[in-house]
Amino acid sequence: MSEPLSAPLDIGFDYTRSLGPVHGRFATALRDRRILGVRGSDGRVHVPVVEYDPDTAAPLDDFVEVGQQGTVMTWSWVPEPLEGQPLPHPFAWAFVLLDGADTPMLHAVDVGSPEKISTGMRVQVRWAAERGNGIRDIACFEPVGAAQPAEPAEPEQEPVTMITSPVHLHYMHSASPEESRYLRGLTEGRLLGQRCPACGKVYVPPRGACPTDGVPTEEEVELADTGTVTTFCIVNVPFLGQRIKPPYVSAYVLLDGADIPFLHLVLGCAAEEVRMGMRVRAVWKPREEWGPTLQNIDHFTPTGEPDAPFETYARHL
């Protein structure tokens, strides 16, 4: 048996969110090199701010400016920082209780080695050079006296109402033996599925077991690269990384002989001409570009055949 395939996957996108009145005011103050807390019903000052009282759930709007120095309450050393963390070299994660606050905030403390940090240590904010990024406007904390504290920035007229947070995930994906045979088949221009011995349904990509009957699917079936559009969506909204200019169509294609459709592009005609029941065939990339991926099929295009009757795909929507 061949070894299952595996490959590194890198998923990343920029997440943009609106802040609302409470977090927006907190972020605006950070941009101006000030730190705000918000007072709760019990008199405690929460930093970072919270929108609702932890005890009564009432909205909070009593903002309090707190100090830029504080005390390390507890900490943990990071010998090998991960991508996206505040510092590229070893540092400590610490709960820092700022002067004037009653709840600690989690942030990085830059001290060089774990021997140089301790509970009760006094630290101060080190501001980031680039502002307007919410909590990342605080680059990290450092021991008091390590550098001259930065002066507050000149306030800008426009408040911070939105921030963009980059999100990245790196991991190694290992395909199942059934998926690996399917992917290796694609390198040969073949579409492979598996049939359930109980209900007879053909699954592509193969799953290794029938989700309906719970039995292994061991019989391999080679499918044609023609099929039927079951449902579709006309994409009109542009987004980051889009390789086709809208409008275009993403559709579920039920391959001939299969019992489950998969999502792919339908091109080769106007978007408004795509319809349920349309017969399509795969348009493969040049053979020298093939690999163990469904991207070997660039898209599906209409065959010109009459539309498939609704009852032939009604149970596959």
Side-chain angles (χ1 to χ4, degrees):
M1 178 182 293
S2 300
E3 285 290 321
L5 295 173
S6 62
L9 289 183
D10 183 4
I11 301 173
F13 62 94
D14 288 339
Y15 176 68
T16 301
R17 62 160 293 185
S18 57
L19 296 173
V22 176
H23 289 115
R25 189 161 172 179
F26 178 68
T28 299
L30 288 173
R31 181 199 62 193
D32 300 335
R33 292 181 176 167
R34 299 165 50 236
I35 304 176
L36 292 184
V38 67
R39 196 184 308 276
S41 61
D42 59 359
R44 292 189 305 158
V45 176
H46 298 272
V47 181
V49 296
V50 292
E51 295 177 291
Y52 300 96
D53 192 282
D55 297 322
T56 68
L60 298 179
D61 58 6
D62 183 9
F63 294 95
V64 180
E65 184 165 356
V66 300
Q68 297 184 19
Q69 295 185 357
T71 303
V72 172
M73 307 301 291
T74 186
W75 59 276
S76 177
W77 190 251
V78 182
E80 298 180 3
L82 301 175
E83 178 187 2
Q85 290 187 328
L87 297 169
H89 51 266
F91 67 94
W93 283 119
F95 274 117
V96 177
L97 184 66
L98 292 174
D99 298 342
D102 294 292
T103 60
M105 66 182 300
L106 179 68
H107 217 302
V109 179
D110 189 8
V111 290
S113 71
E115 290 75 26
K116 295 180 180 180
I117 186 171
S118 59
T119 299
M121 180 180 184
R122 295 287 293 169
V123 292
Q124 66 187 24
V125 169
R126 179 193 298 167
W127 293 101
E130 184 178 339
R131 297 180 292 142
N133 296 306
I135 196 64
R136 291 183 306 228
D137 288 353
I138 298 177
C140 63
F141 283 84
E142 61 190 3
V144 166
Q148 186 68 25
E151 293 295 325
E154 190 68 26
E156 299 182 23
Q157 292 185 350
E158 292 297 323
V160 177
T161 59
M162 303 183 75
I163 60 171
T164 299
S165 298
V167 178
H168 291 282
L169 177 64
H170 310 283
Y171 66 99
M172 182 68 70
H173 173 73
S174 295
S176 68
E178 295 79 15
E179 290 172 328
S180 296
R181 287 197 294 272
Y182 164 75
L183 293 170
R184 289 190 173 99
L186 286 169
T187 65
E188 301 170 355
R190 304 164 66 209
L191 290 164
L192 301 179
Q194 287 186 334
R195 191 190 314 277
C196 173
C199 64
K201 290 181 179 179
V202 174
Y203 296 98
V204 57
R207 301 182 176 186
C210 177
T212 302
D213 299 290
V215 297
T217 53
E218 298 176 349
E219 180 188 352
E220 200 163 80
V221 180
E222 183 168 354
L223 300 161
D225 63 358
T226 55
T228 301
V229 172
T230 59
T231 58
F232 66 94
C233 171
I234 299 178
V235 179
N236 290 295
V237 180
F239 56 84
L240 186 67
Q242 200 169 32
R243 67 182 182 93
I244 303 173
K245 184 179 179 180
Y248 62 90
V249 174
S250 292
Y252 276 98
V253 176
L254 181 67
L255 293 177
D256 295 340
D259 289 283
I260 186 168
F262 60 79
L263 189 64
H264 217 297
L265 297 172
V266 174
L267 305 176
C269 66
E272 59 269 19
E273 294 178 6
V274 177
R275 56 199 177 273
M276 294 173 66
M278 174 182 271
R279 295 286 297 160
V280 292
R281 70 161 51 91
V283 176
W284 296 77
K285 291 181 179 179
R287 192 178 187 92
E288 59 270 18
E289 297 180 20
W290 289 0
T293 170
L294 188 57
Q295 292 180 354
N296 294 353
I297 297 177
D298 185 76
H299 62 274
F300 283 80
T301 193
T303 64
E305 300 172 87
D307 291 355
F310 178 73
E311 57 270 16
T312 63
Y313 60 89
R315 300 186 64 181
H316 305 291
L317 300 179

